[in-house]
Amino acid sequence: MSTQIILPRVMQVGEGASQEIPTILTSLGCSRPLIITDKMMVQLGYADSIQTRLAAESITAEVFDDTVPEPTVSSIQAGVDTVRHGNYDSIIALGGGSPIDSAKAISILGKFGGTMRDYKFPRIVNEEGLPIIAVPTTAGTGSEVTRFTIITDETTDEKMLCVGIGFMPVAALVDFSLTLSLPARITADTGIDALTHAMEAYVSKKASPYSDSQALSAMRLIGPNLRRVFHDGTDKAAREAMMLGSTLAGIAFSNASVALVHGMSRPIGAAFHVPHGLSNAMLLPAVTEFSIPEAAERYADCARAMGVATEQDSTDVANSKLMDELRALNDELQVPTPEQFGIARQDFFDLMPTMAEQALASGSPNNNPRVPSAEQIVAIYKQLW
Ligand SMILES: [Fe+2]
């Protein structure tokens, strides 16, 4: 059996990679880019730095900075209008997962029209939108190397998963120096998201030897460095490891899919506006405990790759160390429970059946080594209280 692997055409990786943007743009035959980003990136001077870099090569880049966290159908509309009425030949997507996910949606809708719902999974979007050069500033969602975007339909509070080569950036500039100023909270949330991508890709029913190799490498990089970057954001070696780990985890899950954590996490995010990485972190221990019986060896490999178990540890010992680590990690990274986050217990409990339905409808739980029923999903949601 063979597996199809989809990647960006160009990846520039390492310190200063984002400075190579004019060369990469030129090599792709593009000269009229639109920078899609958010206000924070403008405030930090990152957008300006790219504009200056491009101006030195006589390339003018306009900036659209109205993307929002956890993008919605209406939040991307102004960007779609900008692309439709402008004369752009490419998009530079600068920021965390939300600006990059917004840019992917804008690239397709700006060129082909329609509404985001038209492009929702199970449709596979192979249309070529405006080419995207992704410059991630978190480590991370991995969006710079995935064929996915997630856009929320705010009328139904549904996080719509959209899939296809059309959403794969043509280039990814993976520059850890852009993450040095990230606040600790975002560092932790996005770092746990990356760890979850690697673990879920590794235990996924769609895993392949290729995605396994990327996922294990990602866990080896993320496991020992996640606490380090949380406690000291200026630790360059740890930031570099996290950035590469996040990109490799992105490659792994783009080609092997995510599983139950992500399936259950999206409805929490959509309904209660919990940041994506944080809702993953809330779920990761409980979902892992539920899933271990059906993939004990695989989870033991995760524990070993993360450096919390040794080769000598038995599968059971490795898995109990893995559970200890996931709980300890949430404590140390100060991950709140839903209650501590401010969610009302009754609201959460009332919505659990709907969230379970949405989780199953997303398809992700089917990739889990242990496929849950709606009742089992509800039982896991209850464990968060
Ligand atoms: Fe994620």
Side-chain angles (χ1 to χ4, degrees), residues 123-292:
R123 174 168 172 183
I124 301 298
V125 180
N126 289 331
E127 289 88 342
E128 268 185 57
L130 283 186
I132 292 175
I133 296 106
V135 187
T137 58
T138 62
T141 64
S143 187
E144 71 279 6
V145 289
T146 74
R147 61 196 166 95
F148 307 120
T149 187
I150 306 258
I151 303 294
T152 301
D153 181 344
E154 61 272 67
T155 61
T156 56
D157 265 355
E158 180 194 0
K159 285 207 164 193
M160 297 185 290
L161 173 65
C162 305
V163 180
I165 300 178
F167 299 115
M168 176 60 78
V170 67
L173 280 57
V174 183
D175 184 351
F176 74 87
S177 53
L178 301 179
T179 67
L180 291 170
S181 57
L182 266 189
R185 184 72 264 141
I186 299 177
T187 298
D189 295 350
T190 51
I192 297 178
D193 188 28
L195 176 64
T196 309
H197 294 153
M199 287 181 64
E200 294 217 282
Y202 191 70
V203 302
S204 167
K205 285 189 171 163
K206 292 186 183 153
S208 68
Y210 180 88
S211 63
D212 285 352
S213 70
Q214 309 295 310
L216 289 170
S217 299
M219 285 184 262
R220 287 186 193 112
L221 289 161
I222 295 167
N225 289 295
L226 184 45
R227 286 176 172 85
R228 280 175 63 180
V229 288
F230 177 71
H231 292 301
D232 177 9
T234 65
D235 184 336
K236 282 176 96 170
R239 286 287 195 192
E240 182 166 26
M242 285 300 298
M243 194 69 176
L244 180 57
S246 157
T247 295
L248 295 179
I251 291 171
F253 92 86
S254 184
N255 291 290
S257 292
V258 281
L260 185 56
V261 177
H262 274 74
M264 291 180 62
S265 171
R266 292 185 206 108
I268 297 182
F272 301 105
H273 308 289
V274 181
H276 172 69
L278 207 50
S279 49
N280 282 344
M282 290 171 182
L283 287 159
L284 185 57
V287 171
T288 302
E289 191 169 43
F290 170 83
S291 307
I292 281 175

Side-chain angles (χ1 to χ4, degrees), residues 120 140 191 371:
K120 194 185 120 168
V371 179

Side-chain angles (χ1 to χ4, degrees), residues 363-377:
S364 302
N366 281 328
N367 305 322
N368 208 56
R370 185 176 174 195
V371 179
S373 64
E375 292 71 33
Q376 286 171 317
I377 290 181

